mmCIF file of all heavy atoms in Angstrom:
data_model
loop_
_atom_site.group_PDB
_atom_site.id
_atom_site.type_symbol
_atom_site.label_atom_id
_atom_site.label_comp_id
_atom_site.label_asym_id
_atom_site.label_seq_id
_atom_site.Cartn_x
_atom_site.Cartn_y
_atom_site.Cartn_z
ATOM 1 N N VAL A 230 6.034 -7.842 -29.664
ATOM 2 C CA VAL A 230 7.291 -7.337 -29.105
ATOM 3 C C VAL A 230 7.326 -5.814 -29.146
ATOM 4 O O VAL A 230 7.754 -5.155 -28.188
ATOM 5 C CB VAL A 230 8.486 -7.941 -29.867
ATOM 6 C CG1 VAL A 230 9.769 -7.153 -29.584
ATOM 7 C CG2 VAL A 230 8.670 -9.401 -29.498
ATOM 8 N N THR A 231 6.874 -5.229 -30.248
ATOM 9 C CA THR A 231 6.890 -3.772 -30.383
ATOM 10 C C THR A 231 6.040 -3.108 -29.308
ATOM 11 O O THR A 231 6.430 -2.087 -28.731
ATOM 12 C CB THR A 231 6.384 -3.361 -31.781
ATOM 13 O OG1 THR A 231 7.236 -3.931 -32.782
ATOM 14 C CG2 THR A 231 6.389 -1.849 -31.941
ATOM 15 N N ALA A 232 4.889 -3.686 -29.010
ATOM 16 C CA ALA A 232 4.010 -3.108 -27.985
ATOM 17 C C ALA A 232 4.667 -3.132 -26.608
ATOM 18 O O ALA A 232 4.585 -2.164 -25.844
ATOM 19 C CB ALA A 232 2.684 -3.858 -27.958
ATOM 20 N N LEU A 233 5.321 -4.237 -26.262
ATOM 21 C CA LEU A 233 5.993 -4.314 -24.968
ATOM 22 C C LEU A 233 7.203 -3.391 -24.930
ATOM 23 O O LEU A 233 7.441 -2.708 -23.920
ATOM 24 C CB LEU A 233 6.411 -5.754 -24.680
ATOM 25 C CG LEU A 233 7.160 -5.989 -23.361
ATOM 26 C CD1 LEU A 233 6.392 -5.432 -22.167
ATOM 27 C CD2 LEU A 233 7.460 -7.472 -23.169
ATOM 28 N N LEU A 234 7.963 -3.327 -26.003
ATOM 29 C CA LEU A 234 9.118 -2.433 -26.056
ATOM 30 C C LEU A 234 8.689 -0.984 -25.897
ATOM 31 O O LEU A 234 9.348 -0.199 -25.192
ATOM 32 C CB LEU A 234 9.873 -2.627 -27.378
ATOM 33 C CG LEU A 234 11.085 -1.724 -27.603
ATOM 34 C CD1 LEU A 234 12.128 -1.883 -26.498
ATOM 35 C CD2 LEU A 234 11.708 -2.011 -28.974
ATOM 36 N N ALA A 235 7.586 -0.601 -26.520
ATOM 37 C CA ALA A 235 7.085 0.771 -26.391
ATOM 38 C C ALA A 235 6.782 1.106 -24.934
ATOM 39 O O ALA A 235 7.084 2.211 -24.450
ATOM 40 C CB ALA A 235 5.836 0.962 -27.250
ATOM 41 N N GLU A 236 6.202 0.169 -24.207
ATOM 42 C CA GLU A 236 5.878 0.395 -22.801
ATOM 43 C C GLU A 236 7.145 0.517 -21.959
ATOM 44 O O GLU A 236 7.250 1.386 -21.081
ATOM 45 C CB GLU A 236 5.006 -0.742 -22.283
ATOM 46 C CG GLU A 236 4.520 -0.577 -20.856
ATOM 47 C CD GLU A 236 3.581 0.604 -20.654
ATOM 48 O OE1 GLU A 236 3.138 1.207 -21.662
ATOM 49 O OE2 GLU A 236 3.295 0.929 -19.484
ATOM 50 N N VAL A 237 8.131 -0.319 -22.228
ATOM 51 C CA VAL A 237 9.385 -0.271 -21.476
ATOM 52 C C VAL A 237 10.131 1.042 -21.747
ATOM 53 O O VAL A 237 10.638 1.690 -20.811
ATOM 54 C CB VAL A 237 10.259 -1.489 -21.834
ATOM 55 C CG1 VAL A 237 11.672 -1.347 -21.263
ATOM 56 C CG2 VAL A 237 9.600 -2.768 -21.327
ATOM 57 N N LEU A 238 10.199 1.451 -22.998
ATOM 58 C CA LEU A 238 10.874 2.711 -23.327
ATOM 59 C C LEU A 238 10.151 3.900 -22.697
ATOM 60 O O LEU A 238 10.794 4.858 -22.224
ATOM 61 C CB LEU A 238 10.945 2.886 -24.847
ATOM 62 C CG LEU A 238 11.806 1.862 -25.598
ATOM 63 C CD1 LEU A 238 11.680 2.078 -27.101
ATOM 64 C CD2 LEU A 238 13.265 1.946 -25.179
ATOM 65 N N ARG A 239 8.832 3.845 -22.667
ATOM 66 C CA ARG A 239 8.064 4.924 -22.039
ATOM 67 C C ARG A 239 8.384 5.029 -20.554
ATOM 68 O O ARG A 239 8.586 6.126 -20.024
ATOM 69 C CB ARG A 239 6.564 4.676 -22.245
ATOM 70 C CG ARG A 239 5.673 5.779 -21.694
ATOM 71 C CD ARG A 239 4.206 5.386 -21.748
ATOM 72 N NE ARG A 239 3.881 4.318 -20.818
ATOM 73 C CZ ARG A 239 3.697 4.508 -19.503
ATOM 74 N NH1 ARG A 239 3.807 5.730 -18.979
ATOM 75 N NH2 ARG A 239 3.398 3.486 -18.723
ATOM 76 N N LEU A 240 8.449 3.898 -19.880
ATOM 77 C CA LEU A 240 8.733 3.894 -18.450
ATOM 78 C C LEU A 240 10.159 4.351 -18.165
ATOM 79 O O LEU A 240 10.401 5.083 -17.195
ATOM 80 C CB LEU A 240 8.496 2.498 -17.875
ATOM 81 C CG LEU A 240 7.027 2.061 -17.795
ATOM 82 C CD1 LEU A 240 6.920 0.566 -17.563
ATOM 83 C CD2 LEU A 240 6.303 2.825 -16.688
ATOM 84 N N GLN A 241 11.096 3.959 -19.005
ATOM 85 C CA GLN A 241 12.470 4.420 -18.811
ATOM 86 C C GLN A 241 12.568 5.932 -18.990
ATOM 87 O O GLN A 241 13.179 6.628 -18.170
ATOM 88 C CB GLN A 241 13.413 3.719 -19.795
ATOM 89 C CG GLN A 241 13.782 2.303 -19.417
ATOM 90 C CD GLN A 241 14.889 1.755 -20.301
ATOM 91 O OE1 GLN A 241 14.810 1.816 -21.532
ATOM 92 N NE2 GLN A 241 15.932 1.204 -19.680
ATOM 93 N N TYR A 242 11.979 6.439 -20.058
ATOM 94 C CA TYR A 242 12.098 7.869 -20.343
ATOM 95 C C TYR A 242 11.360 8.705 -19.297
ATOM 96 O O TYR A 242 11.825 9.783 -18.919
ATOM 97 C CB TYR A 242 11.564 8.178 -21.738
ATOM 98 C CG TYR A 242 11.915 9.569 -22.202
ATOM 99 C CD1 TYR A 242 13.237 9.911 -22.470
ATOM 100 C CD2 TYR A 242 10.936 10.544 -22.377
ATOM 101 C CE1 TYR A 242 13.571 11.184 -22.900
ATOM 102 C CE2 TYR A 242 11.266 11.817 -22.796
ATOM 103 C CZ TYR A 242 12.591 12.139 -23.058
ATOM 104 O OH TYR A 242 12.918 13.404 -23.465
ATOM 105 N N ALA A 243 10.242 8.208 -18.799
ATOM 106 C CA ALA A 243 9.508 8.942 -17.767
ATOM 107 C C ALA A 243 10.261 8.928 -16.442
ATOM 108 O O ALA A 243 10.179 9.887 -15.659
ATOM 109 C CB ALA A 243 8.124 8.335 -17.586
ATOM 110 N N GLY A 244 10.987 7.838 -16.166
ATOM 111 C CA GLY A 244 11.713 7.748 -14.915
ATOM 112 C C GLY A 244 10.808 7.737 -13.696
ATOM 113 O O GLY A 244 11.209 8.180 -12.615
ATOM 114 N N ASP A 245 9.604 7.227 -13.859
ATOM 115 C CA ASP A 245 8.602 7.208 -12.781
ATOM 116 C C ASP A 245 8.715 5.872 -12.047
ATOM 117 O O ASP A 245 8.244 4.841 -12.517
ATOM 118 C CB ASP A 245 7.212 7.387 -13.389
ATOM 119 C CG ASP A 245 6.113 7.506 -12.341
ATOM 120 O OD1 ASP A 245 6.295 7.002 -11.215
ATOM 121 O OD2 ASP A 245 5.054 8.085 -12.653
ATOM 122 N N TYR A 246 9.339 5.900 -10.869
ATOM 123 C CA TYR A 246 9.600 4.673 -10.126
ATOM 124 C C TYR A 246 8.300 3.977 -9.729
ATOM 125 O O TYR A 246 8.186 2.751 -9.832
ATOM 126 C CB TYR A 246 10.434 4.979 -8.889
ATOM 127 C CG TYR A 246 10.822 3.760 -8.090
ATOM 128 C CD1 TYR A 246 11.872 2.943 -8.511
ATOM 129 C CD2 TYR A 246 10.152 3.427 -6.920
ATOM 130 C CE1 TYR A 246 12.234 1.813 -7.780
ATOM 131 C CE2 TYR A 246 10.505 2.299 -6.191
ATOM 132 C CZ TYR A 246 11.552 1.503 -6.622
ATOM 133 O OH TYR A 246 11.900 0.386 -5.892
ATOM 134 N N ALA A 247 7.321 4.739 -9.276
ATOM 135 C CA ALA A 247 6.048 4.141 -8.854
ATOM 136 C C ALA A 247 5.368 3.433 -10.026
ATOM 137 O O ALA A 247 4.814 2.333 -9.871
ATOM 138 C CB ALA A 247 5.127 5.206 -8.264
ATOM 139 N N ALA A 248 5.392 4.056 -11.204
ATOM 140 C CA ALA A 248 4.792 3.429 -12.382
ATOM 141 C C ALA A 248 5.562 2.176 -12.782
ATOM 142 O O ALA A 248 4.966 1.186 -13.235
ATOM 143 C CB ALA A 248 4.754 4.420 -13.544
ATOM 144 N N ALA A 249 6.882 2.197 -12.613
ATOM 145 C CA ALA A 249 7.697 1.034 -12.930
ATOM 146 C C ALA A 249 7.337 -0.134 -12.018
ATOM 147 O O ALA A 249 7.203 -1.281 -12.468
ATOM 148 C CB ALA A 249 9.179 1.371 -12.802
ATOM 149 N N ILE A 250 7.170 0.139 -10.732
ATOM 150 C CA ILE A 250 6.783 -0.907 -9.778
ATOM 151 C C ILE A 250 5.407 -1.467 -10.129
ATOM 152 O O ILE A 250 5.177 -2.687 -10.096
ATOM 153 C CB ILE A 250 6.788 -0.353 -8.340
ATOM 154 C CG1 ILE A 250 8.217 0.000 -7.909
ATOM 155 C CG2 ILE A 250 6.153 -1.346 -7.375
ATOM 156 C CD1 ILE A 250 9.148 -1.187 -7.826
ATOM 157 N N GLU A 251 4.483 -0.592 -10.465
ATOM 158 C CA GLU A 251 3.134 -1.040 -10.836
ATOM 159 C C GLU A 251 3.178 -1.956 -12.048
ATOM 160 O O GLU A 251 2.473 -2.971 -12.105
ATOM 161 C CB GLU A 251 2.256 0.177 -11.122
ATOM 162 C CG GLU A 251 0.816 -0.163 -11.443
ATOM 163 C CD GLU A 251 -0.032 1.072 -11.712
ATOM 164 O OE1 GLU A 251 0.461 2.195 -11.472
ATOM 165 O OE2 GLU A 251 -1.180 0.909 -12.164
ATOM 166 N N PHE A 252 4.013 -1.616 -13.036
ATOM 167 C CA PHE A 252 4.154 -2.445 -14.231
ATOM 168 C C PHE A 252 4.716 -3.820 -13.874
ATOM 169 O O PHE A 252 4.221 -4.856 -14.335
ATOM 170 C CB PHE A 252 5.071 -1.742 -15.235
ATOM 171 C CG PHE A 252 5.430 -2.575 -16.430
ATOM 172 C CD1 PHE A 252 4.581 -2.676 -17.511
ATOM 173 C CD2 PHE A 252 6.642 -3.267 -16.468
ATOM 174 C CE1 PHE A 252 4.909 -3.450 -18.615
ATOM 175 C CE2 PHE A 252 6.987 -4.042 -17.565
ATOM 176 C CZ PHE A 252 6.121 -4.131 -18.630
ATOM 177 N N ILE A 253 5.758 -3.841 -13.050
ATOM 178 C CA ILE A 253 6.361 -5.117 -12.653
ATOM 179 C C ILE A 253 5.344 -5.985 -11.930
ATOM 180 O O ILE A 253 5.188 -7.184 -12.232
ATOM 181 C CB ILE A 253 7.597 -4.873 -11.765
ATOM 182 C CG1 ILE A 253 8.712 -4.196 -12.575
ATOM 183 C CG2 ILE A 253 8.102 -6.190 -11.163
ATOM 184 C CD1 ILE A 253 9.868 -3.706 -11.734
ATOM 185 N N GLU A 254 4.627 -5.406 -10.994
ATOM 186 C CA GLU A 254 3.647 -6.176 -10.218
ATOM 187 C C GLU A 254 2.520 -6.693 -11.100
ATOM 188 O O GLU A 254 1.922 -7.740 -10.808
ATOM 189 C CB GLU A 254 3.104 -5.319 -9.084
ATOM 190 C CG GLU A 254 4.153 -5.023 -8.008
ATOM 191 C CD GLU A 254 3.633 -4.110 -6.919
ATOM 192 O OE1 GLU A 254 2.549 -3.499 -7.115
ATOM 193 O OE2 GLU A 254 4.309 -3.974 -5.881
ATOM 194 N N ARG A 255 2.233 -5.986 -12.173
ATOM 195 C CA ARG A 255 1.171 -6.420 -13.091
ATOM 196 C C ARG A 255 1.608 -7.647 -13.893
ATOM 197 O O ARG A 255 0.781 -8.536 -14.184
ATOM 198 C CB ARG A 255 0.822 -5.254 -14.024
ATOM 199 C CG ARG A 255 0.026 -5.590 -15.264
ATOM 200 C CD ARG A 255 -1.414 -5.953 -14.951
ATOM 201 N NE ARG A 255 -2.173 -6.178 -16.165
ATOM 202 C CZ ARG A 255 -2.150 -7.312 -16.880
ATOM 203 N NH1 ARG A 255 -1.404 -8.348 -16.490
ATOM 204 N NH2 ARG A 255 -2.876 -7.431 -17.984
#
């Protein structure tokens, strides 16, 4: 859970929409 939470918090703080889409598609 901690590993996934770290990735989600990183994506939120970066605010990188393209990276967010790539994560979802993965």
Side-chain angles (χ1 to χ4, degrees):
V230 164
T231 300
L233 179 53
L234 178 58
E236 184 65 10
V237 170
L238 295 175
R239 183 188 69 79
L240 289 165
Q241 282 189 309
Y242 192 68
D245 185 335
Y246 183 78
I250 293 296
E251 183 180 351
F252 173 83
I253 293 170
E254 291 177 347
R255 164 71 176 80

